[in-house]
């Protein structure tokens, strides 16, 4: 069977279109994106993050989480930073974010400094991605090369923030499927859960677990946590997700799981006789394996549905549309 030149060209064009969506984010994001247009961008962001973490070490965890909560809703487009307006229902007021997501001001500080030297160039979405990397390194976690070139959304989705973000009570199957829906595999999910090596959780998120008397929680650990988390009231009381090295991004989180000392149900479920047990054991034994996989997973997470090219905008202020 012979194919005419015109037919062949049409087939190639169709094939190219089929490939385009999956290739787009990888083809258009680049670690050198601002080298000519804003050469000091990364240093400017790093300075803002360093100052924030030196004031409050917990902020490192908050900045990593902020990037994560952005990427899981509409992709890595800084939609989480948009404030409420008559036309925008903010993601900030969605249940997984309300009263717990922090660090908005740090991103605005970095953006304000960038607008002085390269106005209208660096996106808020990219600031979030770089800030998460810098936060990791400042608390002993791994570094990685951040791909850049994301643009900012003009919309937010309160609804998706309510449905797409993993929750502290989720069973393992739901955690795995939720990450898979974003293009992240089970190993990525376990590695990213290791971010709970730093940061704190509010009492109401782990109360049921520490008063459950279930076999999957160490009795002494539960007793210690009850001191700051009574059965009623004081919902906002904080406890470190990792009691041993609460301000160090390391593999202690996985060692804690082996001792049944995961603070959240969604932590301990990673070592509960299921498909993720072997990964948890590997990370608990190898700080290097965890650090390497965490960095790789953060890069893949930063690739979730970015706006590039002519899509989206570069916001002048991260909390508002220009």
């Amino acid at each position: 069977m012979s194919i005419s030149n015109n037919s062949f060209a049409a087939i190639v064009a169709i094939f190219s279109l089929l490939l385009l969506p999956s290739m787009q984010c990888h083809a258009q994001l680049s670690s050198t994106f601002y080298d000519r247009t804003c050469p000091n961008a990364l240093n400017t962001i790093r300075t803002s993050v360093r100052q924030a973490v030196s004031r409050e070490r917990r902020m490192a965890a908050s900045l990593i989480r902020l990037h994560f909560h952005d990427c899981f809703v509409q992709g890595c487009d800084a939609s989480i930073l948009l404030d409420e307006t008559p036309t925008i229902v903010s993601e900030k007021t969605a249940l997984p974010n309300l009263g717990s997501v922090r660090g908005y001001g740090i991103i605005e500080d970095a953006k304000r400094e960038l607008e002085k030297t390269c106005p209208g160039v660096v996106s808020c979405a990219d600031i979030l991605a770089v800030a998460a990397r810098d936060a990791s390194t400042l608390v002993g976690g791994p570094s990685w090369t951040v791909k850049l070139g994301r643009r900012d959304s003009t919309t937010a989705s309160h609804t998706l923030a309510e449905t797409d973000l993993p929750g502290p009570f989720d069973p393992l199957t739901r955690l795995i499927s939720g990450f898979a829906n974003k293009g992240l595999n089970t190993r990525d999910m376990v590695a990213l859960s290791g971010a709970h090596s730093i940061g704190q959780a509010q009492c109401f998120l782990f109360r049921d677990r520490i008063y459950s008397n279930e076999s999957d929680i160490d009795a002494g650990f539960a007793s210690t946590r009850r001191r700051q988390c009574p059965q009623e009231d004081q919902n906002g009381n904080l406890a470190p997700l990792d009691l041993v090295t609460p301000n160090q991004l390391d593999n202690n989180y996985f060692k804690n799981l082996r001792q049944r000392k995961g603070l959240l149900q969604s932590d301990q479920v990673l070592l509960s006789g299921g498909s993720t047990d072997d990964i948890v054991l590997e990370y608990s034994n190898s700080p290097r394996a965890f650090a390497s996989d965490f960095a790789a997973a953060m890069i893949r997470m930063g690739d979730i549905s970015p706006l590039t090219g002519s899509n989206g905008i570069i916001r002048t202020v991260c909390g508002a549309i220009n």
Side-chain angles (χ1 to χ4, degrees):
M1 183 179 73
S2 62
I3 300 176
S4 69
N5 287 342
N6 286 344
S7 298
F8 183 74
I11 291 168
V12 170
I14 291 168
F15 186 65
S16 299
L17 286 171
L18 289 171
L19 283 177
L20 193 58
S22 62
M23 292 171 60
Q24 217 168 19
C25 67
H26 302 290
Q28 296 189 15
L29 295 184
S30 161
S31 61
T32 60
F33 191 82
Y34 297 114
D35 281 8
R36 285 198 285 181
T37 54
C38 193
N40 209 35
L42 298 189
N43 287 333
T44 302
I45 298 167
R46 188 178 299 114
T47 298
S48 291
V49 174
R50 186 186 295 119
Q51 290 171 348
V53 174
S54 67
R55 286 194 301 267
E56 184 195 4
R57 205 156 166 86
R58 180 186 165 212
M59 188 53 73
S62 298
L63 290 171
I64 293 171
R65 185 168 180 244
L66 190 55
H67 179 41
F68 172 72
H69 278 225
D70 178 44
C71 291
F72 262 59
V73 180
Q74 295 190 167
C76 308
D77 62 357
S79 60
I80 194 171
L81 303 178
L82 286 170
D83 292 322
E84 196 95 4
T85 71
T87 57
I88 292 174
V89 183
S90 177
E91 293 170 22
K92 293 180 180 181
T93 57
L95 193 59
N97 298 329
L98 185 64
S100 67
V101 170
R102 312 160 68 239
Y104 301 114
I106 312 306
I107 305 302
E108 288 287 10
D109 288 345
K111 178 62 172 173
R112 197 176 303 112
E113 292 304 310
L114 287 165
E115 287 298 303
K116 293 176 185 175
T117 51
C118 359
V121 173
V122 182
S123 69
C124 300
D126 277 346
I127 297 173
L128 281 169
V130 174
R133 187 271 312 273
D134 292 344
S136 170
T137 61
L138 286 167
V139 289
S143 184
W144 56 90
T145 301
V146 180
K147 290 188 278 184
L148 303 161
R150 300 168 191 80
R151 289 166 67 82
D152 300 323
S153 68
T154 56
T155 61
S157 180
H158 183 101
T159 302
L160 288 179
E162 296 271 10
T163 59
D164 285 16
L165 286 163
F169 312 110
D170 284 354
L172 184 60
T173 51
R174 178 162 180 161
L175 290 171
I176 291 172
S177 64
F179 277 72
N181 289 340
K182 304 299 177 184
L184 299 170
N185 62 34
T186 301
R187 198 171 182 88
D188 293 328
M189 185 271 288
V190 178
L192 290 170
S193 296
H196 283 183
S197 170
I198 51 175
Q200 302 186 59
Q202 297 181 76
C203 171
F204 77 96
L205 297 175
F206 57 86
R207 176 182 282 124
D208 287 351
R209 176 161 161 72
I210 62 173
Y211 286 99
S212 68
N213 293 315
E214 295 288 342
S215 60
D216 69 344
I217 186 167
D218 176 83
F221 173 74
S223 177
T224 301
R225 294 274 59 90
R226 287 175 194 152
R227 292 175 200 159
Q228 295 298 320
C229 184
Q231 280 190 286
E232 295 181 7
D233 302 324
Q234 300 185 50
N235 285 341
N237 281 11
L238 295 170
L241 288 155
D242 171 13
L243 267 174
V244 185
T245 54
N247 292 311
Q248 190 82 4
L249 181 50
D250 55 25
N251 71 329
N252 253 321
Y253 167 81
F254 300 101
K255 295 179 182 179
N256 294 338
L257 299 185
R258 295 183 73 164
Q259 298 172 26
R260 296 177 296 132
K261 294 179 180 178
L263 186 62
L264 302 177
Q265 190 61 42
S266 57
D267 293 325
Q268 195 61 52
V269 78
L270 301 180
L271 187 64
S272 57
S275 60
T276 54
D277 284 13
D278 288 346
I279 307 171
V280 170
L281 296 176
E282 179 186 349
Y283 291 162
S284 71
N285 289 323
S286 174
R288 182 175 295 181
F290 164 60
S292 174
D293 283 4
F294 181 78
M298 288 294 289
I299 292 170
R300 279 192 283 275
M301 189 182 78
D303 277 341
I304 298 175
S305 306
L307 298 169
T308 58
S310 58
N311 295 318
I313 62 172
I314 304 296
R315 290 189 219 136
T316 306
V317 175
C318 291
I321 295 165
N322 304 344

